Amino acid sequence: MIIKTFAYPRAALIGNPSDGYFGKTMAFTFSNFQADITLYPSVELEVLPSRRDKTRFSDPAELMSEIKAFGYYGGIRIIKATLKRFFDYCKEQRIECLKANFTIRYHTSIPPHLGLAGSSAIITACMRALMNYYSVSISPAELANIVLSIEREELGIGGGLQDRVAQSYQSLVFMDFDREHMEKHGYGRYEVLKDFKLPPLYIAYRNDLAEGSEITHNNLRYRWEQGDPEVHAAMAEWAGLTEEFRGAIETGDERAASECINRNFDLRKEICNISSANEHMVLLARSTGASAKFTGSGGAIIGTYRDNSMFARLSAALAAENIKVIQPEVCNG
C-alpha cells in the first residue's frame, strides 16, 4: 500500500493579517504548485530527506545557494513535528493507532518563504497521509487548528488560521474569526465559496525577497497584546475590507474589488515596516493599472487586472526586473 497525498499553496486575497486577531479574511488555494507526501509500510519508521535537507554539496557556492533558498532548516523538522502532533492528538482523543511503521518522504514545488504557506502545505499533506494510513477522521476546521498548533507550538512559527483553513478546505473560503464564536467553538465561521466569480487574478513573486512570516507576525502579536490602538484599528479595518470585497465580487464591481486590495496593502504599510524592494514590486505592478497587495508577509503579491492587454503590460514590467508572474489556477474544493 502506497499512500500519496498533497496540499496546495495559499493566496491571501483580502483581510490578512487580521485572521489571528478576530478579523475576517478571504483566501484560496491554487494548483500551480504543490506539496506532496508519499507514505508506505516499512520495518522501521523512517523519514526520508528531500532537496531542502541536503548535507553534501559540490562546493561552498552550492552550500551558500541552498542556504539562501531554504535557510538553515529543511523539511524534515516539519515532518517530525507533524508526526509528533498527530500521535499526541490520537492519544488525546483515545484513538487506537496501529503499531505499524512506515517510511515517509515529502516533495514540494512551492517557492519557499514567500508568503504562500509552503510549510503549512507540507504539514497538511502529511496529516492527510497519516489520517489515511491510520483511518483517522478529522474535520477540515479541526485539521486547520492542528496544523496551526504544529507551526506555533512545535516549530515556533507565528501566524493565523487563514492559511490552514484555506488548505484544509482546499477552496476559496470566507472566514469570520469572531471572538465570541472562536472562544466558544475553537474555530471561526468558515464558508466555502464555490459559486463566486472572482475577477482576473495574478500572483507575482521574487525568490530573493523571501522572508519568514514570523518576523511580521511576532511584532504584530506583541503590539496587539500591548493594546496598541493603531494595530487594533487596522485589524478592524481589514475585517471591513473583507466584507466590502465580498460585496464587490457578488455584484461584479471589479473596480471596488481592486480598491479593496490596494487599501489592504496601504494599511499594512501604515503599521508595519516594509522593505523598499517589496514595496517597489507592489508599486511596479500598480503602475500598469493592476491592483496589488502581499499574498502573505512579503516576497509575493496578488492583485487584479482588467484584461489581457493589462496582463501583458504587467507581465512585461515585472519580468524586466526578474519577477515571475502567474495566473493562479484557483482550487474549487
Side-chain angles (χ1 to χ4, degrees):
M1 173 181 64
I2 298 178
I3 294 171
K4 291 184 177 291
T5 55
F6 57 88
Y8 297 126
R10 177 278 304 133
L13 188 53
I14 196 72
N16 62 306
S18 74
D19 52 311
Y21 308 88
F22 307 110
K24 298 177 183 179
T25 67
M26 287 177 65
F28 62 84
T29 53
F30 58 102
S31 59
N32 304 67
F33 309 105
Q34 73 176 46
D36 55 76
I37 294 288
T38 301
L39 185 153
Y40 51 87
S42 58
V43 175
E44 297 179 309
L45 198 162
E46 183 176 8
V47 180
L48 298 178
S50 185
R51 182 193 168 191
R52 297 186 184 187
D53 306 289
K54 283 180 64 175
T55 58
R56 299 178 63 183
F57 307 92
S58 59
D59 53 39
E62 184 184 7
L63 168 66
M64 298 295 286
S65 176
E66 291 290 319
I67 291 174
K68 183 178 180 181
F70 306 124
Y72 294 105
Y73 303 104
I76 282 184
R77 70 170 185 142
I78 296 174
I79 300 299
K80 286 182 176 179
T82 306
L83 296 180
K84 176 185 179 298
R85 185 66 189 94
F86 176 80
F87 290 121
D88 282 347
Y89 173 84
C90 290
K91 185 177 181 180
E92 293 162 5
Q93 300 298 316
R94 299 180 180 177
I95 297 172
E96 186 70 30
C97 284
L98 298 175
K99 294 182 179 179
N101 285 332
F102 54 83
T103 294
I104 187 170
R105 66 170 177 239
Y106 78 96
H107 172 267
T108 180
S109 61
I110 302 172
H113 308 303
L114 293 179
L116 298 176
S119 294
S120 55
I122 295 173
I123 295 171
T124 302
C126 186
M127 285 293 297
R128 287 181 175 141
L130 293 168
M131 290 160 61
N132 187 323
Y133 189 62
Y134 289 105
S135 299
V136 174
S137 178
I138 301 175
S139 70
E142 189 174 12
L143 176 59
N145 282 357
I146 294 172
V147 174
L148 179 60
S149 74
I150 292 168
E151 298 204 71
R152 281 185 175 176
E153 298 167 19
E154 305 294 341
L155 299 170
I157 300 173
L161 272 167
Q162 171 184 244
D163 303 4
R164 296 82 192 169
V165 171
Q167 289 169 326
S168 293
Y169 285 92
Q170 206 149 274
S171 189
L172 171 65
V173 186
F174 178 90
M175 308 169 214
D176 180 354
F177 299 98
D178 174 72
R179 182 192 290 267
E180 183 178 348
H181 191 276
M182 290 283 292
E183 292 177 347
K184 181 178 180 180
H185 300 281
Y187 51 85
R189 296 187 179 95
Y190 308 140
E191 183 180 354
V192 175
L193 306 178
K194 290 190 175 182
D195 299 323
F196 277 60
K197 183 179 179 182
L198 290 170
L201 298 171
Y202 74 92
I203 291 174
Y205 61 94
R206 275 180 59 176
N207 289 318
D208 59 344
L209 293 183
E211 180 178 274
S213 62
E214 62 271 16
I215 294 174
T216 295
H217 285 293
N218 289 347
N219 180 45
L220 279 178
R221 175 63 57 189
Y222 174 78
R223 293 172 64 187
W224 167 270
E225 291 175 350
Q226 294 299 306
D228 186 324
E230 189 177 26
V231 171
H232 279 255
M235 296 303 171
E237 184 174 349
W238 273 314
L241 284 172
T242 302
E243 292 282 8
E244 289 180 38
F245 183 87
R246 177 171 180 165
I249 63 173
E250 282 180 329
T251 59
D253 190 342
E254 294 185 3
R255 180 176 179 179
S258 174
E259 290 173 352
C260 288
I261 286 177
N262 283 338
R263 177 55 186 162
N264 201 117
F265 175 82
D266 294 344
L267 179 58
R268 190 186 196 105
K269 183 183 174 184
E270 291 174 10
I271 67 167
C272 299
N273 292 323
I274 295 173
S275 72
S276 58
N278 267 304
E279 183 179 6
H280 173 70
M281 182 162 59
V282 169
L283 296 179
L284 181 60
R286 289 185 183 180
S287 72
T288 68
S291 62
K293 62 176 284 294
F294 287 163
T295 63
S297 299
I301 61 174
I302 185 171
T304 59
Y305 59 91
R306 187 173 57 252
D307 51 31
N308 290 336
S309 176
M310 182 179 289
F311 182 75
R313 294 196 304 273
L314 171 74
S315 299
L318 271 59
E321 299 197 18
N322 200 31
I323 301 170
K324 298 179 181 179
V325 183
I326 63 169
Q327 293 169 305
E329 298 170 7
V330 180
C331 299
N332 192 22

